[in-house]
Amino acid sequence: MSRRLKRQIGRVLFVLLMVAIAIYTVFPFAWAIITSLKSGSALFTASPLPIPPAWDNYVATFRDRPFGRNILNSVIVSGSVVALSLALGLSAAYALGRASFRGRGFLLATILAVSMFPQVAVLSGLFELIRWLGLYNNLLSLVFSYLIFTLPFTVWVLTTFMKELPKELEEAAMMDGASPFIVLIRVFLPIMGPAMATTGLLAFIAAWNEFLFALTFTLTDEMRTVPVAIALISGASSFELPWGRIMAASVIVTVPLILLVLVFQRRIVAGLTAGAVKG
Amino acid sequence: MVTRGPVGLSAVAQDRRRAAFWFLLPMVVAVLLVAGWPLFRTAWFSLTDARLDEAAPGAFVGVENYALLLRDPEWWNAVRNTLVFAIVSVTIETVLGMIIALALNEKMRGRGALRAAMLIPWAIPTVVSAQMWGWMLHDQAGVVNAALLGLGLIDQPIAWTADPDLALWAVVAVDVWKTTPFMALLILAALQLLPGEIYEAAEIDGLGPVGRFFRITLPLIRPALMVAIIFRALDALRVFDLMYVLSGNSAATASMSVYARQQLVEFQDLGFGSAAAMGLFAIVAICTVLLVTLGRVRLGGAEDAR
């Protein structure tokens, strides 16, 4: 009897733990949504629900600042850098995953090292390069500089996936005299589709969230990406931050990300573990 | 690596090797351009007195910038902040992540939903999480103070992000919230690879749940766990967004990245800022070597085993 009771108590504690974890992970974002729907003095009451919801924060975000433009900038930058990384990454992964040559291990180790080194360490060198190319305060500077973290990651994960494919796959095509390029496009591109979608999605999220380069290489409000725009929203004085608007902007850029992540959650977990655990 | 297989295939293998060069070239050029060259230039700038606001290339000054850096108490403050932040946050994230992963590994209803919820903090941009928590920790209107006051745990509101003694812990709290799920998911993936038979054998041997965890689970997932810890630690050492958004350039929380960028961009001191950046680079390199050696991890070890 007491053993059963002990078991029951254990179960209840376990469920409580799960509930606590769920609240801990979800509450801050839920609170951001609630705050974004309050306006004026309602903001400074800790009332749990905004009734009726006020939409002025959302309206003001787009009216007073070029926030639409900021979103477009983020989409352009992240989209371009992902496309570029996938193209370069697939080509490199084909070589690294399917051929054996001297220096391959060294190359992979270098790529891993680049993906882990601090962005600040290349900041001044990149700054000089970007100014020299005339790309300062230009979205291209971000597309270029973001390669430093999206490309190594893409190469690493795609190589992992590429190695797992059976050897016979391209040998038949090669014996038929197809060039390596044809083999890559006709044989591997279709099979690598899901892996590329996963990798691309993870690289997209990383680029979408990047802050340091975007803050340093752009100057005007029109050229800002979303994270910088949100970080730099300010009020009349630093003591009067327009929290309602900050939360509205935060919700706008986060909801699509969360939807993406929830739809592709299996793929994302697979991609994360391919990048880290198997690495 | 030696060519394997029958003679008939080696022609193909050789073809492949030649082709491999051309397939690798674009990626290698891109990495050299975006990482190699800028890193080299940063190292060079750190030995000059170049300034960002002057077109003239700086004059060579030897290690003067480094000498200044080592004597600057604010630099050492930034080093201390970064190390404290990295050690505390990664430790908490590992322990909490382990607990959550073990819980999620149990078969139960709602497990899928909870695992999906775990991805939310991970997907939220760091800047957004910093702002969200900045608002929750607001001294006057923050929900955290309201809750603590309501429960009677504190008498007056606490200025979490403005109080120099608390600000760094506020930053740690935000980081723990944001990255524990990532840790938990990586550990969970490792746990799910463990065969169930081992546990059955352990049950027969009379090991309790705690014994099972320390004697079986932990040693088996250690390699995966160490890789996750190293990734997180290196990420934590270069932290920038959280501090910058939560408390600006305030010395109470300034990390090495914040310090280096401030010298470089705000004070326009290209030479000195680059020296600070190289200082950070050196510390990250040392930590990597230490972690890899102490953790006995072979990064890319799977490569050589083939």
Side-chain angles (χ1 to χ4, degrees):
Chain A
M1 187 65 193
S2 77
R3 199 159 160 193
R4 240 179 88 191
L5 194 69
K6 232 173 154 179
R7 252 215 156 113
Q8 294 260 310
I9 293 174
R11 277 217 80 78
V12 170
L13 285 178
F14 186 72
V15 170
L16 282 179
L17 176 70
M18 293 287 104
V19 172
I21 294 172
I23 292 175
Y24 176 61
T25 33
V26 176
F27 178 78
F29 189 60
W31 188 247
I33 297 177
I34 292 169
T35 304
S36 72
L37 294 172
K38 292 178 182 175
S39 75
S41 56
L43 210 59
F44 291 91
T45 60
S47 76
L49 286 175
I51 300 171
W55 298 97
D56 7 334
N57 288 321
Y58 288 88
V59 177
T61 302
F62 286 99
R63 189 189 54 214
D64 301 345
R65 317 191 118 251
F67 199 64
R69 181 63 210 262
N70 297 145
I71 293 177
L72 185 66
N73 289 345
S74 275
V75 171
I76 293 173
V77 169
S78 311
S80 320
V81 79
V82 166
L84 201 55
S85 306
L86 283 179
L88 295 174
L90 182 69
S91 157
Y94 178 48
L96 289 166
R98 308 305 289 184
S100 54
F101 51 88
R102 263 199 320 173
R104 179 169 158 282
F106 172 76
L107 207 56
L108 274 167
T110 312
I111 288 164
L112 190 64
V114 170
S115 77
M116 294 209 266
F117 79 54
Q119 278 173 286
V120 167
V122 291
L123 198 63
S124 34
L126 264 180
F127 205 111
E128 182 199 38
L129 190 59
I130 281 165
R131 274 216 297 215
W132 182 75
L133 291 167
L135 295 179
Y136 181 65
N137 199 30
N138 184 321
L139 294 181
L140 282 177
S141 70
L142 300 185
V143 175
F144 175 69
S145 58
Y146 285 8
L147 281 176
I148 199 172
F149 57 89
T150 57
L151 189 53
F153 168 78
T154 314
V155 171
W156 186 261
V157 179
L158 289 182
T159 304
T160 314
F161 279 114
M162 197 71 110
K163 270 197 312 220
E164 281 168 8
L165 299 174
K167 237 169 128 38
E168 294 74 30
L169 210 56
E170 76 266 40
E171 263 155 20
M174 283 239 174
M175 290 299 190
D176 286 348
S179 74
F181 184 72
I182 298 292
V183 173
L184 177 63
I185 300 294
R186 293 269 172 80
V187 180
F188 284 106
L189 192 58
I191 311 176
M192 290 293 283
M196 288 178 69
T198 307
T199 320
L201 191 62
L202 291 173
F204 186 90
I205 292 175
W208 182 271
N209 296 351
E210 203 281 338
F211 182 63
L212 176 61
F213 287 163
L215 179 70
T216 308
F217 300 145
T218 61
L219 186 67
T220 54
D221 279 346
E222 282 71 32
M223 284 298 157
R224 297 297 196 190
T225 57
V226 160
V228 185
I230 290 179
L232 297 183
I233 292 179
S234 55
S237 77
S238 61
F239 298 101
E240 283 176 59
L241 289 174
W243 287 106
R245 288 187 204 180
I246 295 177
M247 292 305 127
S250 300
V251 171
I252 294 167
V253 301
T254 309
V255 165
L257 276 191
I258 290 185
L259 290 179
L260 263 181
V261 164
L262 293 185
V263 170
F264 293 104
Q265 53 165 311
R266 267 173 211 291
R267 290 232 175 121
I268 287 177
V269 173
L272 283 177
T273 46
V277 175
K278 286 182 200 156
Chain B
M1 230 169 261
V2 190
T3 329
R4 295 159 294 184
V7 188
L9 276 179
S10 76
V12 176
Q14 218 154 39
D15 248 13
R16 268 198 212 159
R17 214 169 304 168
R18 213 167 302 136
F21 172 78
W22 292 106
F23 282 96
L24 276 173
L25 194 64
M27 184 275 289
V28 172
V29 169
V31 168
L32 283 178
L33 209 61
V34 78
W37 172 252
L39 184 65
F40 168 74
R41 287 301 288 173
T42 305
W44 166 251
F45 283 135
S46 75
L47 301 172
T48 70
D49 62 358
R51 292 194 52 83
L52 211 53
D53 44 10
E54 284 165 24
F60 184 79
V61 294
V63 293
E64 196 181 297
N65 287 322
Y66 289 97
L68 278 174
L69 186 71
L70 295 181
R71 265 180 282 143
D72 185 359
E74 284 198 29
W75 161 253
W76 290 111
N77 173 52
V79 173
R80 193 192 63 93
N81 282 345
T82 313
L83 290 179
V84 169
F85 168 80
I87 294 169
V88 175
S89 61
V90 174
T91 307
I92 299 177
E93 282 152 26
T94 309
V95 174
L96 257 180
M98 181 72 81
I99 293 172
I100 295 176
L102 287 170
L104 281 176
N105 202 29
E106 297 293 318
K107 284 197 176 59
M108 52 155 186
R109 274 200 312 170
R111 179 166 76 162
L114 197 55
R115 205 176 57 183
M118 304 292 297
L119 282 168
I120 292 176
W122 172 80
I124 291 179
T126 313
V127 169
V128 170
S129 9
Q131 293 281 35
M132 273 168 23
W133 279 87
W135 169 238
M136 283 172 48
L137 295 170
H138 193 273
D139 52 348
Q140 296 305 317
V143 67
V144 172
N145 274 338
L148 292 177
L149 282 170
L151 291 171
L153 291 174
I154 54 173
D155 303 328
Q156 48 189 357
I158 296 176
W160 299 101
T161 53
D163 185 335
D165 294 332
L166 291 174
L168 192 59
W169 304 115
V171 176
V172 169
V174 182
D175 194 66
V176 165
W177 176 77
K178 173 146 174 58
T179 38
T180 299
F182 172 76
M183 212 54 167
L185 289 172
L186 288 189
I187 297 174
L188 182 62
L191 285 177
Q192 287 177 336
L193 291 176
L194 297 183
E197 299 93 58
I198 305 177
Y199 290 101
E200 282 159 29
E203 205 136 4
I204 296 167
D205 286 350
L207 271 179
V210 179
R212 257 185 318 206
F213 173 74
F214 283 104
R215 301 274 290 278
I216 301 173
T217 312
L218 201 55
L220 282 175
I221 63 165
R222 205 188 65 96
L225 186 64
M226 278 315 296
V227 172
I229 289 176
I230 291 177
F231 268 78
R232 272 301 308 140
L234 297 185
D235 219 28
L237 286 171
R238 59 186 174 188
V239 62
F240 174 79
D241 317 14
L242 274 183
M243 277 90 172
Y244 189 86
V245 175
L246 268 179
S247 42
N249 288 326
S250 146
T253 58
S255 66
M256 288 187 274
S257 288
V258 170
Y259 175 91
R261 185 188 178 276
Q262 190 184 19
Q263 300 295 334
L264 203 71
V265 179
E266 260 131 76
F267 306 153
Q268 305 271 307
D269 199 335
L270 193 57
F272 187 70
S274 299
M278 292 314 288
L280 166 61
F281 185 70
I283 290 177
V284 169
I286 293 169
C287 289
T288 311
V289 172
L290 275 180
L291 278 170
V292 171
T293 328
L294 293 179
R296 278 172 288 153
V297 180
R298 290 187 63 200
L299 289 172
E303 288 314 308
D304 310 327
R306 261 168 59 122

